Amino acid sequence: MKGAELVLQVLQQHGVETIFGYPGGAIMPIYDALYQSTVKHYLCRHEQGGAFSAIGFARASGKVGVCMATSGPGATNLITSLADAMLDSVPVVAITGQVSQAVMGSDAFQEIDVLGLSLAVTKHSFMVRSVEELEATLNQAFAIAKSGRPGPVLVDIPKDVQLAEIDYQPLASNTQKAVSVPTSLANAAKARALIAAAKKPMAYIGGGVHMAGAMPQLQQFLADNPMPSVTTLKAMGSVAKDNTHYMGMLGMHGTQAANLAVQQCDLLICLGARFDDRVTGNLQKFAPHAKVIHVDIDPAEINKVRFADAALLGDMKQILPAISASTNCDEWLAHCATLKQQHGWRYDHPGERIYAPLMLKQLSERMPDNSVVCCDVGQHQMWVAQHMRFSSPRNHLSSGGLGTMGFGLPAAIGAKLARPQDTVITVSGDGSFMMNVQELATIKRFRLPVKIVVVDNQRLGMVKQWQQLFFNERYSETDLSDNPDFVALAAAFAIPGHCITRKDEVEGALEAMFTWPGPYLLHVCIDDKDNVWPLVPPGAANEDMMTEAKA
């Protein structure tokens, strides 16, 4: 068979049934082989959209997402999405076509060094030099993407390798298993002693817990060791909804109660998180009284940002039971419950205009429990994190580390194809929605019943908020008042929709959206003066939050 056919053969061996991409000259042999393949290809309308769809597929399903693009601009359009996958530890295999080796280095048409470009935003990148290397390279790519801390891998395949013939004999082991990281329990006894001695312990939960498949172990750990818990943006949904000690998200736009409690704790148990700057605020003032237990799969994260008094590296499923100890912190639990009560959300917003936090709370209460919500980046993203509740981190897909506008719509496409029986909703801001709006064509072509909520304040909201607070209200290039009619735009793609402007319209509009059997766009107009609170200003400690009352 040809190398191009071999690529699809290996994908099938890895259980790949769904791929996303966009064809072009240098990858045309693979697309020709795809014509008769059982692998289902979904044509996205931009390579970035294709890669984000692969990320959404991977995050919603726990499988490896696969995307393809041609050389030159096709490959460079993948770079942003690969960076997003890298920073959020998402297993993706990206396959790119490359010009034939005979013309490499001659500035041939659509020749670009995608191998070099991708090195900073992937776990590993490959250039396949011969058809004999192809199978082993692809097997290795899947193994690397899944091993340890997951991430994206790029495989660049020259056109001549795709066209080359090979007498294919499957390898004895035709798929390479993910390499497991050895688990060290050397500090388990020290961790147990720290937990037993703590008067004010706090579980700080990151996305690494669910990526490790350790959700049952986490719930058991929190049941056996009752203590308050907080989560990062990526870990939302990790703590059971009925856990009364959960305090919400921490960090720059975390809940007041969560931030205050973390600052007061005497032991911080960091599980699969990395002390990101959006979490810690002023690092020197973050959790100043706390000793630290740090559990992670990635040795590079240990002691990188915050010294760990007890560090445990490896499989979270093994480590959590090993560090379970008796806690005695009833006074602390009562104090944290008081903080939650004192600083709870208020939804009694004056006037008739729609208040986004309340609208999103209503959306959360109405959507089916196993719905997947895909966010873009900005004020709406933080409101979703603050005011919606999720039963699993796989149900809340948000661009965390890179903060990529344009993530939500294509990620929702991937999530819907990964979980066709579940409701998939994308919540986008008017600025972010326009970043990959062309993917409405993908939704139309494949009749994907994705529900789209566009929260529109006719501003680049988060940037505008910072300009208001920290740049003397100099609103440079954040006015989006010339937005298109989003309902009419959706209608051009045969997607019905509705626009609402008053809070008394919200319930009926949500009912109409969920009742409609196909894709639907709900255009929600809000006041451009509404901001996200609380906010930890740059350089401040997390307890020094700005609130609406202080602003």
Side-chain angles (χ1 to χ4, degrees):
M1 63 173 64
K2 292 179 179 178
E5 297 168 310
L6 178 57
V7 169
L8 296 172
Q9 183 80 20
V10 176
L11 292 180
Q12 289 176 294
Q13 290 170 0
H14 284 274
V16 174
E17 299 176 346
T18 304
I19 59 177
F20 306 88
Y22 203 94
I27 201 168
M28 205 174 295
I30 292 178
Y31 273 84
D32 183 64
L34 189 64
Y35 190 79
Q36 293 182 307
S37 173
T38 58
V39 175
K40 178 64 176 175
H41 176 273
Y42 289 86
L43 177 70
C44 295
R45 297 308 174 94
H46 190 285
E47 291 88 355
Q48 184 183 107
F52 277 144
S53 293
I55 290 171
F57 182 93
R59 288 182 61 172
S61 67
K63 300 176 182 178
V64 177
V66 180
C67 57
M68 300 198 304
T70 195
S71 63
T76 59
N77 282 343
L78 295 179
I79 294 296
T80 295
S81 301
L82 294 177
D84 190 279
M86 184 69 175
L87 287 174
D88 282 348
S89 305
V90 184
V92 169
V93 171
I95 297 170
T96 52
Q98 184 55 273
V99 301
S100 294
Q101 293 180 84
V103 295
M104 274 187 193
S106 67
D107 293 331
F109 177 67
Q110 293 192 332
E111 180 187 4
I112 198 76
D113 179 13
V114 68
L115 180 71
L117 282 171
S118 66
L119 288 175
V121 295
T122 58
K123 279 186 74 176
H124 200 89
S125 293
F126 294 95
M127 164 75 78
V128 182
R129 293 289 186 175
S130 72
V131 71
E132 288 77 19
E133 299 174 5
L134 190 53
E135 181 181 18
T137 301
L138 287 167
N139 286 337
Q140 195 174 357
F142 275 87
I144 293 171
K146 295 184 290 184
S147 295
R149 180 177 180 171
V153 178
L154 181 134
V155 182
D156 198 33
I157 310 175
K159 193 171 185 179
D160 56 295
V161 174
Q162 298 173 48
L163 291 170
E165 298 275 353
I166 183 171
D167 184 11
Y168 176 61
Q169 298 292 333
L171 298 175
S173 177
N174 56 19
T175 58
Q176 188 170 335
K177 292 184 179 179
V179 179
S180 60
V181 175
T183 298
S184 172
L185 299 177
N187 288 326
K190 187 175 183 180
R192 289 195 299 271
L194 288 170
I195 294 171
K199 301 299 182 185
K200 301 177 180 180
M202 174 68 69
Y204 158 33
I205 300 160
V209 176
H210 83 268
M211 287 191 293
M215 295 285 289
Q217 288 79 10
L218 173 68
Q219 309 311 328
Q220 191 63 50
F221 178 81
L222 293 176
D224 294 342
N225 308 274
M227 68 179 71
S229 60
V230 295
T231 60
T232 64
L233 180 69
K234 264 199 72 184
M236 296 196 66
S238 296
V239 181
K241 286 185 177 182
D242 60 356
N243 187 315
T244 58
H245 306 315
Y246 175 60
M247 308 200 70
M249 184 176 73
L250 81 162
M252 179 174 283
H253 291 292
T255 68
Q256 292 185 69
N259 280 338
L260 291 172
V262 170
Q263 292 299 97
Q264 296 167 13
C265 75
D266 63 6
L267 177 65
L268 198 59
I269 306 170
C270 177
L271 305 173
R274 58 188 178 92
F275 293 95
D276 176 73
D277 60 288
R278 286 294 175 107
V279 162
T280 66
N282 186 317
L283 181 62
Q284 302 307 314
K285 298 179 180 179
F286 177 65
H289 314 295
K291 293 184 178 180
V292 172
I293 298 170
H294 196 171
V295 182
D296 210 285
I297 192 73
D298 186 355
E301 293 298 338
I302 303 298
N303 297 324
K304 183 180 83 173
V305 175
R306 176 73 178 255
F307 172 76
D309 296 274
L312 295 100
L313 187 70
D315 185 354
M316 191 80 65
K317 296 192 296 294
Q318 298 180 44
I319 293 172
L320 280 171
I323 63 172
S324 185
S326 298
T327 53
N328 181 20
C329 58
D330 289 347
E331 289 185 15
W332 171 239
L333 288 171
H335 173 70
C336 288
T338 301
L339 287 177
K340 284 178 65 176
Q341 185 176 20
Q342 289 175 343
H343 300 287
W345 299 115
R346 292 188 61 177
Y347 296 102
D348 52 344
H349 190 261
E352 295 183 351
R353 300 198 68 166
I354 294 169
Y355 182 47
L358 175 58
M359 182 275 294
L360 291 167
K361 178 175 181 287
Q362 291 170 288
L363 174 64
S364 181
E365 291 169 348
R366 181 173 282 272
M367 69 187 187
D369 186 59
N370 209 35
S371 298
V372 183
V373 175
C374 302
C375 275
D376 274 293
V377 170
Q379 289 178 314
H380 67 280
Q381 177 192 31
M382 294 298 101
W383 282 324
V384 165
Q386 292 172 339
H387 302 286
M388 298 186 74
R389 291 299 303 271
F390 303 95
S391 58
S392 166
R394 298 209 184 281
N395 295 346
H396 173 240
L397 311 187
S398 192
S399 175
L402 196 63
T404 316
M405 294 175 68
F407 172 88
L409 189 63
I413 291 170
K416 187 61 185 177
L417 290 168
R419 291 162 54 180
Q421 303 307 314
D422 292 328
T423 299
V424 175
I425 307 159
T426 183
V427 178
S428 187
D430 51 311
S432 288
F433 184 63
M434 293 296 288
M435 286 280 189
N436 273 315
V437 69
Q438 76 286 337
E439 297 310 325
L440 290 175
T442 308
I443 289 174
K444 174 188 175 183
R445 169 174 284 203
F446 297 105
R447 299 182 177 88
L448 301 175
V450 172
K451 310 302 181 183
I452 304 164
V453 178
V454 179
V455 182
D456 179 10
N457 60 4
Q458 299 195 338
R459 298 293 185 273
L460 194 57
M462 190 62 83
V463 181
K464 186 243 18 165
Q465 179 170 341
W466 278 55
Q467 289 172 339
Q468 177 185 341
L469 298 174
F470 309 122
F471 290 87
N472 299 315
E473 300 185 15
R474 292 160 63 91
Y475 299 118
S476 177
E477 302 302 324
T478 50
D479 186 336
L480 303 180
S481 56
D482 57 352
N483 278 329
D485 180 334
F486 290 117
V487 174
L489 180 62
F493 294 92
I495 298 172
H498 183 58
C499 179
I500 56 174
T501 59
R502 302 191 320 271
K503 60 178 63 173
D504 62 2
E505 298 177 292
V506 170
E507 286 290 351
L510 293 177
E511 176 68 21
M513 181 178 74
F514 284 120
T515 302
W516 187 258
Y520 192 95
L521 185 141
L522 179 60
H523 180 200
V524 182
C525 298
I526 66 169
D527 195 326
D528 67 346
K529 297 179 182 62
D530 290 345
N531 284 329
V532 179
W533 307 109
L535 164 65
V536 178
N542 276 1
E543 69 260 32
D544 297 326
M545 292 167 278
M546 298 176 69
T547 64
E548 191 167 12
K550 297 177 184 178

